[in-house]
Amino acid sequence: GAGVSQSPSNKVTEKGKDVELRCDPISGHTALYWYRQSLGQGLEFLIYFQGNSAPDKSGLPSDRFSAERTGGSVSTLTIQRTQQEDSAVYLCASSLRTAGEKLFFGSGTQLSVL
Amino acid sequence: AQSVTQLDSQVPVFEEAPVELRCNYSSSVSVYLFWYVQYPNQGLQLLLKYLSGSTLVKGINGFEAEFNKSQTSFHLRKPSVHISDTAEYFCAPRDGGTALIFGKGTTLSVSS
């Protein structure tokens, strides 16, 4: 596609339920990031995939959060047993391999945990 | 891994005034530096970047930033702001192939 695609755009769930957020990066982009954006917290790094290398998971806030990237393309971020503090906009971004390349961001998934 | 500090969470200015948004990062042998902007109800986009060479880099919409290695800073400036510059601005340093970490952002509010 022309840009980074995220789905769903909005997700409302009940506390304790699991959710899956999907990201479809730009074709040919080997780097993929997940960030979380909430008021007063800026852009919080969650996880980074680069090609076939082991992902950098250092930003995941707890073991309830996990992500995978299948076939070097689509990525899924899973949040288990959601909590109200997980409510935020979850952003995905992709870029070409080199470190100086700019990131292209998706429109995000607004997650609301009731 | 890099760490980054945006020293001002909010910067209110009047139209046509100059503005500086401050950013400091942790020291590194080599670092790439980025500023991203998020306009109201829009996605993030790249404003400018420093990879190497001239320490003064120019970006879109009349913004520029200066890389200062001794002070580990990459402050963003514009000599005369417009209402349309109202947005949130994020500084992001990067070591080589590591993850891109963003600062907490600075909200620039331009009023007439």
Side-chain angles (χ1 to χ4, degrees), chain A residues 33 35 37 42 48 99-100 103, chain B residues 32 36 38 49 94 96-97 100:
Chain A
Y33 292 81
Y35 294 93
Q37 186 173 27
Y48 165 50
L103 269 59
Chain B
Y32 301 134
Y36 280 78
Q38 187 174 32
K49 64 181 179 181
R94 186 176 195 185
L100 188 64

Side-chain angles (χ1 to χ4, degrees), chain A residues 89-101:
Chain A
V89 176
Y90 289 81
L91 292 168
C92 177
S94 71
S95 75
L96 293 170
R97 178 179 175 81
T98 55
E101 291 294 330

Side-chain angles (χ1 to χ4, degrees), chain A:
Chain A
V4 178
S5 177
Q6 291 189 245
S7 61
S9 55
N10 281 282
K11 176 72 176 178
V12 180
T13 190
E14 294 179 349
K15 178 181 171 181
K17 300 283 190 183
D18 298 350
V19 295
E20 285 189 351
L21 312 180
R22 177 188 168 102
C23 173
D24 201 342
I26 293 172
S27 178
H29 281 192
T30 58
L32 186 148
Y33 292 81
W34 283 99
Y35 294 93
R36 177 166 72 175
Q37 186 173 27
S38 50
L39 276 174
Q41 297 301 313
L43 270 170
E44 180 186 3
F45 164 71
L46 298 177
I47 188 167
Y48 165 50
F49 296 90
Q50 174 56 66
N52 296 320
S53 302
D56 178 352
K57 304 179 182 180
S58 60
L60 294 177
S62 77
D63 59 8
R64 296 187 295 106
F65 288 72
S66 63
E68 61 178 22
R69 189 178 184 189
T70 54
S73 181
V74 172
S75 178
T76 302
L77 177 70
T78 301
I79 309 173
Q80 296 179 310
R81 305 181 303 281
T82 52
Q83 305 293 313
Q84 288 184 331
E85 60 263 28
D86 298 335
S87 296
V89 176
Y90 289 81
L91 292 168
C92 177
S94 71
S95 75
L96 293 170
R97 178 179 175 81
T98 55
E101 291 294 330
K102 73 175 182 179
L103 269 59
F104 292 82
F105 282 84
S107 298
T109 294
Q110 173 73 62
L111 175 66
S112 300
V113 182
L114 305 179

Side-chain angles (χ1 to χ4, degrees), chain B residues 87-107:
Chain B
E88 191 157 17
Y89 294 79
F90 295 93
C91 179
R94 186 176 195 185
D95 287 329
T98 61
L100 188 64
I101 305 298
F102 288 85
K104 290 192 180 294
T106 297
T107 301

